[in-house]
Amino acid sequence: MKKKISFIHAADLHLDSPFNGLSDLHETQFQEVRESTFKALENLVTTAIKREVDFIVLVGDLFDNDKQSLKAQIKLRNAFEKLQAHQIDVYVSYGNHDYTSGNIYPITYPENVHIFQDEQVRSFTYVKDNTPLAMIYGFSYENRAVIHNKAHEYKKGDATIPFHIAMLHGSIESNTDHDTYAPFQVGQLVQADFDYWALGHIHKREILKENPYIIYPGNIQGRNRKEIGPKGCYYVELTETQQLVEFVPLQAVQYHTLTVDLVDCDSIHQVEEILTNTLKKIPASVPQLLDVSIRGGTKLWEWKNDDVLDELIEIINESFSSQRNWLYIFRYSVIEGETVHQLEGDYFIGEIKNKLEEFTGGEHISEIYQHKEARKYLDHLDADELKEINKEAYELLIHKLFQE
Amino acid sequence: MKILQARIYGFGKWVDYEIDFSKHSFITIFGHNESGKSTLQRFLQFMLFGLPPKQRKYYQPKDSSKMGGRLFILDTEIGEYSIERIGDANNGAAKCFTPDGKEYDESWLKERLHSIDEKTYRAIFSFSAMDLNDLQDVKEEEISEVLLGIGLSGSTKIYSVEKRLEQQIGEFFKPYGKNPIINQQLQTLERLQREIKELKEEEAEYREKKNAIHRIKGDITLLEKTIKEEKERQFQLEKLIQAFPQIEEYIGLQNRLKELPEEFYFPEDGMERIESLKRELIPLESEIKLAIRNREIFQKEMEKLEGQNSEISFIEAKKIITQSNEYQDMEKEKKVVRERVDQLHREIRSKLSNLNLGLEMEQLSHYQLPFHLEKDWNHYRISIESITREMRQIKENTQLQQAKLERITEELSRVESSQLTADKRSELEGILELHHESQLLEIVQKEHYHKQEKWKKTKLQKRKRLNALWIGSLFLGVVTAALSFITDQFWLINISVLSLIVGLLQWFLGVKSIQNMDKMLEPNTTTPFRTISVEERRSAESLLLQEQEILREKELLQDKLLDTEIQLQQLTEKQVVIENQQDELMERIALEKTKYPFLEHVDLNYWPELYHTLKGILDQIKQIDELYNQDRDISQKLDVYHNLLDKFIEKHYPSSNFKSYISKLEFLGNEISAYQDREQQIQQLKIRLQDIENQVQEKTISYELVEERIISLFSKANAKDEEEFYKRYREWKEQTELLESCRRIATQISSYFTSEKWNNIIENPPSRSKVELELKECVQLIKHLEEELGQKRQQLANLTVELQNLEKSESYSKTIHVFQMEKERLHKLARKWAVLKTAKELLSETKHQYRDKYLTRVLEKTTQYFRNLTDHQYVQVFSPTADKPFMVENSNKIRFSVKELSQGTINQLYVSLRLAISEVMSEKFHLPFIIDDAFVHFDKLRNKRMLEILESISKNHQILFFTCKQDVLEEIPIQNLVHLTNHIPLVENKW
């Protein structure tokens, strides 16, 4: 008989970790957002059961130690128990967010869960019908970081076993966008000759290589405005001759970005009409969190500076909040705004512009960002954000000085 | 920049009007109200910056279709150019024409105007009485700011905007406030943070609770175990109390047991086994007796039969009977022999008669025919035949040889006649010899010549060598001689002499040998000899060959003749030998005939056949003799047998009288079979006896075995006899019953006590009261432990519930989400605040910088103008500071704030400020000033001063001063004045 295994590869569940960039949500929306990571986990379990997979590999960051809730642990245990009822094994390695020394809850997982306990690369053997079918390799972060290359520690075991799957929570050496943990090079992974590399840590899904597959499945639920679109896991089927991978979306709430052109709008009502129509056209199978970029002219800036736009967005959010797959504009930004160029000749405006160039360090707003209380809760502003603030301030000032 | 000329195609009331500003840089345009001053200003603005469609429509002349005009400009950088705008053409856009004939559009123009728009232009470079009117509305305390605002951008909004922003900022956030939105948000976050901490601690209890549960579970297990143990003890004690009667009974039994012998053994089922063994013995005894009786009966019977058989000699009789068959065979054989003899007699007689030789059987039997006779007879016959044949052959051969002899003799005589004579032959031989010698001589001469030639060469070489040797030795001799003289070594002379002698000797010997050789090789003179011709030689040769041939033939014939003669001799000898043989043979035949007279009448040729016949007859006669012998033997044997039979009968049955041998034999046969029957009976009896004997033995062994077992039982029971055995049995039975009672009691209590414990109790029987006390204590302890267990269980249940609640609780989870969201809200608010704050800061900083940059100079100019205008009544203007507005100082060094000044003075200050700003600004832009009756409230004197100021400014800037005041005209040189009237010709001021 042809030997075959099927499994699900997921990582970065970040159960019960709060979302970034959301405020003033409607109560039901808030509930749904709050439950979204669990809902995604539930979807994962359902998928595994429906597809009758042999096992699941979870490659680190199942939850965040920093904001770890007991609920996350309990839900996870319940999920594992449900999988146990369907004879689905789970292989878990911990990552930089759920490192073992930081786990404060003594939850006992059921016996179908196999955990890589330490930083030594070890392996489990998956046995089906008394035949060893696969070996699963991996390690867990014992502390907040693993900074050395672990790739070369992966050594293939019993060669008579048909499938070898490696779990690695880390990032490519050259990737400096994220914290570089357990850095590796794709070449090193290829050389190690495994049948599948189940990676974790990077939230954006990516197939680094085919044959063998080296895959970041991404996180299962987007949690900030940069984690847009469908999020989920990979369904993998390995035979001795073939490799099949399929992305399965699991997200309960989806981040979505869109750009709306409002250049030709003369009145705020037109803006409302266009925005509403655009939103209605969004195909939504799950609730959507929208990050809207608005392209518009001077008028738009005027509306914005007069807070009319804010009010409009609030109204629109209200109107879309009651439907099953609700929509919510959590952020909007005006792009390519044409400034009031006819005022450029103004002597004073010229001076303002020059002055603006000097406003880069954010010292003038340190009153709040360095405030003893406030700075505990406020993130440090980066250059881009400062730039945006400056631009808005400039627009506001011009508007106040000359438009009103 | 300077406006040189304006040509109006049509604008408001102005149609086809041209006005020149090029003559002076300070031009006063005078006109009464409604004379079109404002329209003209508008026109200039229209030309420079354009107008919106509505405004353009407003200025469309009522009496002309034309709308638009052209403005001629002098630019410091590119020189003269003109701007043209025509009505709605190109949406009122400008076309610019440079002196080099190029045409440019609006954006080019904008660049030339430094992107200054109409609004800015009006704010900075043009001011009118209207601006002063606006000033009236400003609150006194704000004047300073307004003035600053004007000073900065010509706008009055900076102040209000700044105020508004500050207010908004305050609404959002105050560093030490409580009510602003952000401050409130911070409080919310603070609260949430605390809540999270508490909740987290609560969840942290999870671990403790888990541990507690584990601990309590352990306690419970331990308690349950202890209770179980105690209950067990209680049970034991209760049972002990119950078992007291039995314990007493048991002890009594044990005492009785002690009285009995300790070491006691009685075989298992001993009595039964003895009885059964005895039962086994009885049948065995009777069987043995029966068998012995039977044995006696059979023995008697057998003895009787054996007695009968011993009377007869069975072996003898058996032998006779066996031989009777042989006897009968012999009788038959005797008969056959006699018949055969008769037949042979008949055959012989017939054969003899066939021969017809007159021989009788008796005669013939006397002859001996030895084995060689046949061969001899045959040999005679063949020899006679061969002798006759040879005799005939010899005769024929003799005749043939004689004929041959005659023929050879004849031939020989013929050969002899053809032979050569002896002389002739010797002559021929001489010729041939001579020829042979001459040939040999020729060859020897040739060889000699060759040798001589060779010698000549050798001789020459030898001579040379000899000469060289001689000269060499001579030289050596001379040299050594000379050397001896020079050195005085006289022995060297010897060497010299020796060498000379040796040299001379060599030479002589050499010459001698050459001469010898010459002599030897001297050519020998040849002797001449007779030559023989070729024909002669050949004929001689052939004749000699013929002679040889004839000689050979003669020899051959002589040989043949000799042979023939020899053969004839041989034949004659052979004939004699054969004749002798014949004679000898005939003699021997005759001898035979005498030996066998019947051969006389028989030809020799038939003798062998006769031999055969006679031989056959003789064999048959021999056979007859043999048969006679046989018959005799048989008869003898028969006689012996008859004798034997008769003797036997007489001996054993003397009374009997049998006539024939046959009857005798029959009787004998009967007797033998009777004997054999008896013998068989005896054998059967023997077998049965053996059986009985075996039976007796077997039973006896069985009997003995049983007896042994009985004895062994006795010994096992330690009894000497049956009586003692029964006694032992009784004792054993009593002990068994006692033990049984003990065991019964032990069994009853075995479910309560272990054997060890039981032993303990028996050895040291406890007192009843002590046991009862112990039981009471035990019951109490159990009660106490059970209470404790109940408490622990309750604790466990509580903890489990709490744990479950914790597991179910979402408050922490929810709170962190809320917290995150509130944090985001704070972030948003902070951002909004940041925008406002940035805007405000931007504004104030720009303002400050702006002021720092320009205000000093503006104030200098302002002070200068203000001083002039007030005729040095006020000497100094101070810029506003953080807490103070504009201040002015009068000639008495007294300072006033702006609001303390009279309206007129404020106006003067304002004008001074505006002028100062314009001047400072135009240092950069050089745009013409347009002033429209700004000094309407000024008196004559002040006007004059004002004009002086303007005059001085106009040195650097073009000033277009519009006025309607007559008294101003007086102050103005006529050449700088433009009058606007309703009927002004198209081109004015041609001067």
Side-chain angles (χ1 to χ4, degrees), chain A residues 16-25 30-31 34-35 66-71 74 77 103-107 310 330 342 345-348 351-352 355-356 358-359 364-365 367-369 371 373-374 376-378 385 388-390 392-393 396-397 400-402 404, chain B residues 115-117 120 153 157-158 161 165 168 173 175 182 186 189-190 193 200 203 206-207 210 806-807 810 812-814 816-821 823-828 830-839 841-843 845-847 849-850 853-854 921 924-925:
Chain A
D16 216 10
S17 287
F19 280 44
N20 287 325
L22 295 184
S23 61
D24 306 309
L25 279 175
F30 171 66
Q31 289 298 349
R34 194 161 72 79
E35 291 293 332
D66 293 342
K67 289 167 187 165
Q68 195 191 157
S69 67
L70 186 60
K71 182 183 175 189
I74 301 298
R77 184 194 66 193
N103 188 353
I104 55 169
Y105 298 116
I107 298 289
D310 275 359
F330 69 95
Q342 65 267 37
D346 190 284
Y347 219 61
F348 190 61
E351 290 297 323
I352 289 173
K355 193 77 213 164
L356 198 62
E358 296 168 21
F359 275 40
H364 50 285
I365 48 172
E367 202 170 57
I368 194 160
Y369 285 95
H371 187 261
E373 301 297 326
K376 286 197 285 190
Y377 312 113
L378 287 171
E385 280 169 311
E388 260 176 56
I389 289 170
N390 285 353
E392 282 181 35
L396 178 72
L397 199 56
K400 295 266 184 201
L401 284 172
F402 298 100
E404 279 182 349
Chain B
S115 294
I116 286 173
D117 60 359
T120 314
S153 69
K157 271 195 181 153
I158 290 173
V161 167
L165 282 174
Q168 277 180 321
F173 176 68
I182 288 176
L186 279 175
L189 282 168
E190 199 75 17
Q193 180 92 317
K200 199 173 175 108
E203 284 199 350
Y206 184 81
R207 187 195 287 269
K210 259 230 145 145
L806 267 180
E807 285 190 2
E810 295 198 350
Y812 173 72
S813 161
K814 190 174 175 176
I816 57 170
H817 283 273
V818 172
F819 176 74
Q820 184 68 27
M821 202 162 78
K823 214 170 100 174
E824 284 305 329
R825 185 149 179 273
L826 173 72
H827 179 69
K828 270 194 178 176
R831 202 176 172 286
K832 265 192 179 167
W833 173 87
V835 170
L836 290 170
K837 174 83 171 158
T838 307
E841 289 295 320
L842 194 58
L843 184 60
E845 279 193 33
T846 312
K847 194 174 82 181
Q849 187 176 326
Y850 199 78
K853 200 167 163 188
Y854 298 108
M921 292 293 131
K924 197 172 172 187
F925 298 128

Side-chain angles (χ1 to χ4, degrees), chain B residues 406-423:
Chain B
E406 280 166 25
R407 206 168 56 238
I408 293 164
T409 322
E410 235 172 87
E411 186 80 5
L412 195 65
S413 62
R414 190 186 50 85
V415 170
E416 276 171 350
S417 67
S418 63
Q419 246 179 325
L420 282 175
T421 59
D423 296 345

Side-chain angles (χ1 to χ4, degrees), chain A residues 74-329:
Chain A
I74 301 298
K75 289 265 186 183
L76 192 61
R77 184 194 66 193
N78 295 348
F80 287 160
E81 279 168 356
K82 196 165 175 190
L83 288 169
Q84 188 188 30
H86 290 83
Q87 286 89 45
I88 295 170
D89 280 0
V90 185
Y91 296 93
V92 175
S93 71
Y94 291 118
N96 56 310
H97 281 291
D98 51 359
Y99 54 95
T100 54
S101 69
N103 188 353
I104 55 169
Y105 298 116
I107 298 289
T108 320
Y109 294 133
E111 279 175 7
N112 62 325
V113 182
H114 312 280
I115 293 172
F116 293 98
Q117 292 292 1
D118 54 23
E119 282 178 19
Q120 170 75 36
V121 176
R122 298 179 191 281
S123 66
F124 291 106
T125 304
Y126 172 73
V127 178
K128 188 180 186 183
D129 304 331
N130 295 321
T131 314
L133 259 192
M135 283 185 86
I136 294 106
Y137 304 78
F139 70 94
S140 283
Y141 285 53
E142 284 176 48
N143 294 302
R144 206 175 284 274
V146 169
I147 51 165
H148 52 273
N149 188 324
K150 298 288 282 184
H152 65 272
E153 290 177 32
Y154 284 79
K155 295 277 184 296
K156 218 165 137 176
D158 187 350
T160 60
I161 294 174
F163 304 109
H164 298 265
I165 293 143
M167 295 163 66
L168 173 57
H169 188 90
S171 47
I172 300 180
E173 244 168 41
S174 55
N175 184 348
T176 49
D177 294 346
H178 302 82
D179 297 330
T180 310
Y181 293 133
F184 61 85
Q185 290 167 5
V186 174
Q188 289 170 337
L189 305 192
V190 174
Q191 212 168 20
D193 189 27
F194 285 87
D195 296 301
Y196 185 90
W197 275 94
L199 304 180
H201 184 54
I202 303 299
H203 289 188
K204 183 172 160 53
R205 82 170 169 277
E206 188 178 3
I207 295 178
L208 293 182
K209 202 181 173 306
E210 291 179 15
N211 198 20
Y213 276 109
I214 301 174
I215 292 181
Y216 276 119
N219 50 356
I220 61 169
Q221 170 62 56
R223 281 171 28 258
N224 62 53
R225 65 186 177 87
K226 282 172 187 165
E227 297 172 356
I228 52 169
K231 291 274 174 183
C233 62
Y234 273 93
Y235 168 77
V236 185
E237 218 175 86
L238 299 181
T239 66
E240 276 156 313
T241 52
Q242 245 187 332
Q243 299 182 316
L244 181 144
V245 299
E246 181 192 339
F247 173 71
V248 183
L250 303 172
Q251 80 284 359
V253 177
Q254 186 175 325
Y255 276 92
H256 189 80
T257 53
L258 68 155
T259 308
V260 185
D261 199 330
L262 298 174
V263 176
D264 296 331
C265 288
D266 288 334
S267 70
I268 194 73
H269 301 293
Q270 273 178 303
V271 172
E272 186 186 358
E273 204 182 317
I274 290 172
L275 269 178
T276 308
N277 286 336
T278 312
L279 260 56
K280 274 180 183 165
K281 282 178 200 155
I282 293 170
S285 56
V286 291
Q288 305 281 318
L289 291 164
L290 305 176
D291 181 1
V292 184
S293 300
I294 301 172
R295 189 182 286 124
T298 315
K299 269 262 194 292
L300 205 68
W301 280 107
E302 281 176 27
W303 291 324
K304 179 172 161 59
N305 290 325
D306 288 341
D307 290 339
V308 177
L309 208 51
D310 275 359
E311 282 164 27
L312 178 68
I313 297 288
E314 246 173 69
I315 291 163
I316 290 173
N317 276 342
E318 186 63 38
S319 70
F320 280 99
S321 70
S322 50
Q323 62 191 54
R324 173 71 199 87
N325 291 319
W326 45 263
L327 302 170
Y328 181 79
I329 299 172

Side-chain angles (χ1 to χ4, degrees), chain B residues 92-121:
Chain B
K95 274 184 185 171
C96 305
F97 305 93
T98 51
D100 54 5
K102 281 183 185 161
E103 191 180 318
Y104 298 95
D105 64 357
E106 184 92 43
S107 58
W108 181 84
L109 175 64
K110 203 163 181 181
E111 203 181 307
R112 298 261 57 82
L113 297 171
H114 303 282
S115 294
I116 286 173
D117 60 359
E118 187 248 342
K119 218 170 176 179
T120 314
Y121 182 81

Side-chain angles (χ1 to χ4, degrees), chain B residues 171-174 177-191 822 825-826 829:
Chain B
E171 281 167 14
F172 269 96
F173 176 68
K174 281 176 187 161
K178 266 196 171 176
N179 292 329
I181 308 170
I182 288 176
N183 293 83
Q184 281 187 356
Q185 186 67 13
L186 279 175
Q187 284 163 35
T188 310
L189 282 168
E190 199 75 17
R191 180 177 53 75
E822 292 302 334
R825 185 149 179 273
L826 173 72
L829 290 170

Side-chain angles (χ1 to χ4, degrees), chain B residues 841-895:
Chain B
E841 289 295 320
L842 194 58
L843 184 60
S844 39
E845 279 193 33
T846 312
K847 194 174 82 181
H848 282 119
Q849 187 176 326
Y850 199 78
R851 187 169 64 185
D852 293 347
K853 200 167 163 188
Y854 298 108
L855 199 62
T856 326
R857 287 189 38 231
V858 167
L859 280 175
E860 271 172 28
K861 284 279 176 198
T862 309
T863 306
Q864 187 193 327
Y865 296 148
F866 191 52
R867 197 190 290 152
N868 286 346
L869 277 176
T870 56
D871 194 19
H872 297 276
Q873 200 178 335
Y874 294 97
V875 292
Q876 197 68 41
V877 179
F878 298 99
S879 63
T881 54
D883 50 347
K884 286 177 188 163
F886 270 110
M887 301 286 283
V888 292
E889 195 183 72
N890 68 4
S891 51
N892 298 326
K893 302 276 177 194
I894 297 167
R895 287 188 189 186

